[in-house]
Amino acid sequence: MARQNPGSKKRVTSYDVARVAGVSQSAVSRAFRPGLSVSDKTRTKVMKAAKKLGYKPNAIARMLITQRSGMVAVIISSISNLVYPELLSRVTDQLSARGVRVLLFTLDHSDQLEELLEQVWTFQVDGVIALTAHFDHRDIAQFEEHNIPVVLYNRQVPDHPVNTVCVDHSQGIRQLIDLLVENGNKRFIVLSGPPDSDVANERRRIALEHLAEHGFADVPVLYGDFSYQSGKDCFAEWMQDHGAPDAVVCSNDTMAIGCIDQARGTHGIDVPEQMSVVGFDGMYAAFWTGYELTTVRQPVNQMAKAAVDILMERIENPDAPPEKRVLAGTLIRGKSARA
Amino acid sequence: MARQNPGSKKRVTSYDVARVAGVSQSAVSRAFRPGLSVSDKTRTKVMKAAKKLGYKPNAIARMLITQRSGMVAVIISSISNLVYPELLSRVTDQLSARGVRVLLFTLDHSDQLEELLEQVWTFQVDGVIALTAHFDHRDIAQFEEHNIPVVLYNRQVPDHPVNTVCVDHSQGIRQLIDLLVENGNKRFIVLSGPPDSDVANERRRIALEHLAEHGFADVPVLYGDFSYQSGKDCFAEWMQDHGAPDAVVCSNDTMAIGCIDQARGTHGIDVPEQMSVVGFDGMYAAFWTGYELTTVRQPVNQMAKAAVDILMERIENPDAPPEKRVLAGTLIRGKSARA
């Protein structure tokens, strides 16, 4: 194998540990993978023998024996969307707790996806969690061909069952809209994320539908890219030809913060007294007292755990059917919407 | 090997590609590792043959042949310090461009370092970039024993040469202090990061030294943990027994933003008219118009590239001596300090 401790004479193998522990080699192999089932009694025997012999499982040897790499690919993009760092951190913690490492892939443009997937196959990861990325049914079919389970975060694939963990966008956005309507807002605009984003499209669709249910049809939509600057730019563009609306429904917190800064800084609008702005995500900066957004907080811890649970189950049992878990967000009654 | 394309009958090996391309197997192996040197002519021949045969390099096979895993461990913590997501993204891009993947390790508490390093040895990464983590000379000695090169970010190890990429803290902080002194500030306080952080200690030491050179000795120091909340809490604590100072020198942008929010929101202090606040890092949110911090921007792109360059050189040539690169930051004359 590639490297050994310089001090070691002959490498201690899992077979040596098995002999001393009086268990099968397979039991040793399983005992060193926290995600796999092995009785506490067997694990104790194995660990005692391993310690005695100075055994350290070697990742390559383990890969050859278990046909597992002990790695999960995590695909992420839009690092400027500040909800993802927190999510990446939680997913990494959840996988670490199961003895699995994160192989990180960043995707700046969707046209890099094919090349990225080639790398995923090459590194023979045990599974994939896609925090951000647009997958179509052909992409998902490739995962099926390679027998690599995948879990998507906050997105689905039309007409194709796939493992996914979603925040309940519908429940969350309806609560935000209800709050705005109850407080007497009548003139709305929507600042949406980009039309090539599944998440943006879903959030916009739900907002417009629920506004229409309240009798507010044909609400104007402006399109940004989820970034702070695009929140500023969209609102500035609106103000060129219109007066301030009563309320701005933003597709995420980062755009909401941009909108608030533009409204306060350039147009002298008092948020929330003269205009309400709501976001979505509940990222760290949403709670800063300079903003204190009215928003919906994604249950990031629970969603990260659910994504990892679903994935580990599929790694253990590849025949398990695709599963969708939807977790409710929490309405945060902040200070960016008039109460 | 663990997985093969279901359609493939017999696996195409690097030897098959070498035969068809008319080059050595070693040349094929090198051609698929963008970090390694191979002539353009050879690379073209190899790629043509590989495409013809449908060859896909297999990570495990490649590890056994090249004794390289094609992976670099990146150690990160304090995800709430918003400069790190950007840095992680740039480091990942730089490694990707060299065909190397990031194996991500998160470190919440320094007492987890030993366990983390065990994992690093197990996965036989080719090198390590530590974006955040306190390493002492014993930790560095372990890397040397395992022949795994390591590059530290913004930190050094006392009395032990080590590869490191640092922003020029001294130059940056001196510029900030000079600016504050020129503009007539006389009563200073320092909001420092925690005393167990090398970066915090260096930034605080430089600030106090340079303030003393300007004739301001015994400047009070309050200790936070680099977080937004600790910036708020430190400033609130100061205000319990004192009036507002002229200027607050913060160890990072996140604490500076917390300090500004506390000053404006709770104490009704006009920043910058009544009090100047400076940060360090130049993270995204520092530029939001709600804050527009006066700060020093770390050259994140160049620092990420330098860290990866140093590491790849040591992977190629393990005998290269430890190297330190120091890059100058950029003074940002924002609106949080009186001009």
Side-chain angles (χ1 to χ4, degrees), chain B residues 250-298:
Chain B
C250 300
S251 279
N252 74 347
D253 288 348
T254 312
M255 286 183 74
I257 287 175
C259 174
I260 290 173
D261 273 354
Q262 180 68 23
R264 288 177 178 162
T266 305
H267 307 287
I269 297 167
D270 185 331
V271 176
E273 285 310 315
Q274 296 173 286
M275 183 175 86
S276 294
V277 179
V278 300
F280 199 97
D281 283 340
M283 64 178 194
Y284 290 129
F287 299 95
W288 291 355
T289 49
Y291 301 107
E292 292 186 84
L293 288 187
T294 299
T295 186
V296 170
R297 165 122 180 115
Q298 297 192 45

Side-chain angles (χ1 to χ4, degrees), chain B residues 15-31:
Chain B
Y15 291 92
D16 299 325
V17 176
R19 206 179 50 244
V20 170
V23 301
S24 69
Q25 182 276 331
S26 153
V28 175
S29 167
R30 292 174 77 80

Side-chain angles (χ1 to χ4, degrees), chain B residues 289-329:
Chain B
T289 49
Y291 301 107
E292 292 186 84
L293 288 187
T294 299
T295 186
V296 170
R297 165 122 180 115
Q298 297 192 45
V300 173
N301 282 343
Q302 292 88 335
M303 290 177 76
K305 182 173 183 308
V308 171
D309 283 346
I310 292 174
L311 189 70
M312 298 310 288
E313 283 168 28
R314 268 63 192 178
I315 292 172
E316 276 294 283
N317 175 14
D319 296 328
E323 178 176 349
K324 177 183 180 180
R325 292 196 199 169
V326 180
L327 285 95

Side-chain angles (χ1 to χ4, degrees), chain B residues 37-98:
Chain B
S37 59
V38 63
S39 75
D40 284 347
K41 198 175 150 195
T42 302
R43 196 188 299 276
T44 307
K45 278 192 210 167
V46 168
M47 292 303 161
K48 210 171 146 187
K51 194 168 180 187
K52 186 176 166 191
L53 296 172
Y55 171 71
K56 288 180 185 176
N58 169 306
I60 300 181
R62 198 167 64 188
M63 280 166 86
L64 292 168
I65 295 163
T66 63
Q67 304 216 335
R68 299 254 176 94
S69 65
M71 296 188 293
V72 161
V74 174
I75 303 176
I76 196 166
S77 64
S78 350
I79 212 83
S80 65
N81 186 340
L82 297 177
V83 76
Y84 289 110
E86 186 184 357
L87 187 57
L88 175 61
S89 176
R90 293 292 87 76
V91 166
T92 305
D93 291 348
Q94 287 289 335
L95 287 167
S96 278
R98 291 162 170 86

Side-chain angles (χ1 to χ4, degrees), chain B residues 229-268:
Chain B
Q229 190 60 44
S230 78
K232 282 182 72 86
D233 293 347
C234 283
F235 189 72
E237 188 191 324
W238 174 260
M239 292 299 289
Q240 280 181 354
D241 299 319
H242 309 81
D246 294 334
V248 186
V249 180
C250 300
S251 279
N252 74 347
D253 288 348
T254 312
M255 286 183 74
I257 287 175
C259 174
I260 290 173
D261 273 354
Q262 180 68 23
R264 288 177 178 162
T266 305
H267 307 287

Side-chain angles (χ1 to χ4, degrees), chain A residues 198-254:
Chain A
D198 299 339
V199 172
N201 292 338
E202 190 176 2
R203 292 181 183 175
R204 185 184 64 251
R205 181 184 59 74
I206 295 165
L208 293 175
E209 272 180 17
H210 199 53
L211 283 164
E213 286 167 18
H214 277 295
F216 301 104
D218 301 321
V219 168
V221 177
L222 291 94
Y223 290 87
D225 64 3
F226 280 139
S227 72
Y228 171 82
Q229 191 59 44
S230 79
K232 283 182 73 88
D233 293 346
C234 282
F235 190 71
E237 189 192 323
W238 174 260
M239 292 298 291
Q240 281 182 352
D241 299 318
H242 308 83
D246 295 333
V248 186
V249 179
C250 300
S251 279
N252 73 348
D253 288 349
T254 312

